[in-house]
Amino acid sequence: MPYPELAERLAAVRAAIDGAIARGGHQQRVAVVAVTKTHGPDAVRAAWAAGLHDVGENRVQEALQKMAEVDVPLRWHLIGHLQRNKVKQLDGFALVHSMDSARLADALHEEGVRRQRPIDVLLQVNVSGETSKGGYGPDDVRAEAERLTTLPGVVVRGVMTMAPFDAEERVLRATFAGAREARTALLEAGHPAAELSMGMSGDYEVGVEEGATMVRLGTLLFGARG
Ligand SMILES: *Cc1c(COP(=O)(O)O)cnc(C)c1O
């Protein structure tokens, strides 16, 4: 049985999440997205067996391969940057976390119209302004929230963000609070933007304290990536 420690690790994560919800006071429900990138289909099967029904991948091609190999009704999340020429390959994904530009939003909308089923997306916001990270600038979110109401091919379910790696707590909190504000702007524009996807293995407890409804965990569940 691969990943023998998964159940135990997941139990610890769920307990930590419960503690973070209580400390943060947002009273939200939190979904754990098991990030299986670089791991084989065994990791996906182990996630399913452990009761994790949401799986995250950051490359379309790698995800499609695993979808073909693993025959359980998981929800697949695309969490990595998406090239516009790949929007036609999204049928198997439940949610795209990484709508990171107006041009990509347009392409996703066109595909959603073409396939006659809108694409569920999160708007990725780059709160910290790191040039290595994609996403909308926080100052652009309000105008884009208005514009997105004219694109029926996408359904904006919320916001995703990534905090700077190994940042101190103050920076993490400011980043996550910025994402929460972006979600408020989407809600005020009328989008069904309930979700806040924020927090990875190193910072998910702070993410949950700041209101995350989804955390994306790889290393903590499956061990270091090769
Ligand atoms: C890889 C990845 C994760 C998971 O990272 P860990 O630190 O291994 O938990 C989460 N979100 C995104 C966007 C990723 O690319």
Side-chain angles (χ1 to χ4, degrees), residues 153-193:
V154 290
V155 178
V156 185
R157 298 283 178 194
V159 169
M160 185 272 257
T161 201
M162 274 185 277
F165 184 69
D166 253 355
E168 56 184 290
E169 189 178 320
R170 180 180 55 83
V171 175
L172 293 178
R173 287 197 193 282
T175 303
F176 295 146
R180 214 169 54 226
E181 281 169 30
R183 181 180 64 172
T184 301
L186 290 168
L187 287 168
E188 286 174 358
H191 298 283

Side-chain angles (χ1 to χ4, degrees), residues 2-146:
Y3 304 100
E5 292 163 44
L6 180 57
E8 201 175 316
R9 290 175 176 182
L10 179 60
V13 163
R14 291 221 201 270
I17 287 174
D18 287 346
I21 292 172
R23 287 192 301 278
H26 291 278
Q27 298 187 321
Q28 78 277 35
R29 294 180 62 120
V30 179
V32 174
V33 177
V35 177
T36 47
K37 66 185 184 197
T38 77
H39 295 276
D42 274 357
V44 180
R45 291 189 197 99
W48 175 261
L52 286 161
H53 297 172
D54 293 272
V55 165
E57 289 280 333
N58 66 349
R59 289 166 183 269
V60 173
Q61 234 33 267
E62 187 181 337
L64 292 180
Q65 253 173 26
K66 285 175 211 174
M67 282 178 203
E69 289 177 74
V70 182
D71 189 23
V72 287
L74 288 152
R75 285 182 294 271
W76 294 84
H77 298 244
L78 185 68
I79 62 174
H81 174 66
L82 173 64
Q83 287 168 318
R84 280 175 296 151
N85 62 10
K86 300 238 167 81
V87 297
K88 288 195 185 334
Q89 302 177 53
L90 293 176
D91 274 349
F93 290 91
L95 184 63
V96 175
H97 291 227
S98 45
M99 188 178 78
D100 56 10
S101 72
R103 280 174 14 134
L104 179 59
D106 289 341
L108 286 162
H109 157 67
E110 280 168 31
E111 172 59 13
V113 170
R114 188 200 64 80
R115 76 180 196 184
Q116 299 186 355
R117 182 164 59 92
I119 301 177
D120 285 304
V121 300
L122 303 180
L123 185 148
Q124 184 177 345
V125 58
N126 182 357
V127 181
S128 60
E130 288 175 288
T131 52
S132 61
K133 290 200 166 71
Y136 289 86
D139 295 341
D140 300 331
V141 172
R142 205 159 279 277
E144 183 69 349
E146 285 301 327

